[in-house]
Amino acid sequence: MSENGKDKLIKLPANITVRDLAKTISVSPIEIIKTLMANGVMANINQNIDFDTAAIVAAELGYEVALETPEAVEVTDEGEIPLWKKLIEQEDKAALVKRPPVITILGHVDHGKTTLLDAIRHTSVAAREAGGITQHIGAYQVRHNDQVLTFLDTPGHAAFTAMRARGAQGADIVVLVVAADDGVMPQTREALAHARAAKVPIIVALNKIDRPNANPERVKQQLADEGLVPDEWEGDTIVVPVSAKEKIGLEDLLEAILLVADEMEIHANPAGRVIGSVIEARRERSRGVVATLLVQNGTLKVGDTVLAGTAYGRIKAMFDFTGKRVQKAIPSMPVSVMGLNDVPEAGELFQVVSSEKQARAIAAERKQKQRQEAQTAARNVTLEKLFEQFQAGEVRELRLIIKADVQGSLEPIISSLNDLNVENIGVNILHTGTGNIGENDVMLAAASKAVVIGFNVQPDAAAQRLAEAEGVSIRLYNIIYRLIEDVEKALKGMLEPEEKITVIGKAEVRATFKIPRLGKVAGCYVTEGELRRNAKVRVVRDGEVIFDGEMASLKHHTEDVREIRQGFECGVGVKGFDQFKVGDVIECYTTELVPVA
Ligand code: GDP
């Protein structure tokens, strides 16, 4: 240990190898290993030790240690505007140049999204230049009238929303495909809700006009009913009739996209900080991790160190969508890159950082944070949390996604909710629909910081899982006024804690007895969990709760017991109830007050 190292402040990353730590504090690695051993940690020279361990060792060797705080931007999903857009706003205005618009295609299944994407790709000059062979990398570019357009070619709002949920929001413009022979369908509405929630302009491609039963006028009326009034009807939605199959109207569609793009500020600083979105990524046997990145600002180059979520690495090679090797990628250009150490998630933001060491440190820190978050399972969007955000002025509206059993119940709910307006905080209904709550509803909620409300419907298993993972709150009702009341309370920040019931055991009534002083008791067999003397009980007959109260007595044979487990027989007395019948189920439960989520 060097003398002058005494009490010197050093900064260490979240993880460091024994070798690097030794170098940083100028001692021999052996000394570090010995100190580690003295603290009960066996490590070799190449092993990674975490910051806490490294700090103990360094302190013992006379150093004061602080965690190195990485200067890279943290990816947060707070707020309306995607982080990359915020960063572009911070760029020097003079350095901003126009970049190609990024377009995503949404619409109902079978309305022709894939066919349209293929048709655009194959009629494009860019594709023809490359011999018409394009690689599927999740995005491609076409040229129209000397302008370039970037298409994300994973159609469907699941992909779109996944990106948004992770804060990326890759698309500048949404093309909503509606089949002229089928019209507006449930997923058309869903897609519309997604696009609106993302505040991305929408162009309608009225597809399949070659079909004999196509009825464009009827579909335009349906679109108008959804608030997409066609421009020919004095509205502001461009509706382009196309046939993806017959390749009709494609030029008009590209024209319309460029027109809309022209009115927007679609720009970036090619010399600025490099940031973008992961479009897709996978591990290949021969090439390792291959990720398609869409550059949104700056210029990505071979040799750059990229950090995407918890994956990182130096870019070894880069290819454009035609499979051609390239050295750099400018804004709005999708490239597939090799060199990441792990597969990042689609929709994740990526950025270029100054060194691999820094990338490793941030990745380690993020992993640590993820682990912590997984442990606490922090809820993301609860009505209560939203109220805090109202107060902090972060959110000016309560966003809801409403699913109901039938259209007839949706209407009164929507109109009552729209009438609610408490202290200028309004309700914004992002999406409504009939049927059970599905994964897409939860995705949309997660991406938009919304709460899902179900009326006479249930979430399906996948939606439930996703809601838990994403911390999305789903609230179920079967009485309209309760629903309205709760939303109003949420707006006022007055939601009271909810009683959460946990059934801890069930017993089946097999006989009834009269016992002096105790009255009628049930002779039971514990079928699940356990019964506890001091817990609450309810009596269930034919699936219905017929009595809810407290236990009066719990006996095993003649002995009073505090609890009794599954597989045992017992005698149960319930305060204020003695109408037991053989076949009743006695459920024992505990309650706790939890803030309504
Ligand atoms: P997606 O589910 O929205 O991606 O729809 P697809 O692109 O897979 O198309 C569904 C079906 O509609 C396929 O059989 C297509 O061939 C057909 N299709 C797509 N576009 C057109 C069109 O413009 N005209 C006709 N007649 N059929 C089309």
Side-chain angles (χ1 to χ4, degrees), residues 214-237:
N215 189 348
E217 292 312 304
R218 184 184 80 112
V219 183
K220 281 181 205 161
Q221 185 55 56
Q222 291 177 332
L223 289 168
D225 291 345
E226 298 293 328
L228 292 176
V229 183
D231 49 354
E232 63 187 277
W233 297 358
E234 312 291 313
D236 48 18
T237 304

Side-chain angles (χ1 to χ4, degrees), residues 108-115 207-208 210-211 243-245:
H108 193 72
V109 63
D110 277 348
H111 278 197
K113 299 180 290 294
T114 313
T115 314
N207 192 30
K208 307 199 188 183
D210 60 292
R211 283 253 168 110
S243 164
K245 200 170 166 201

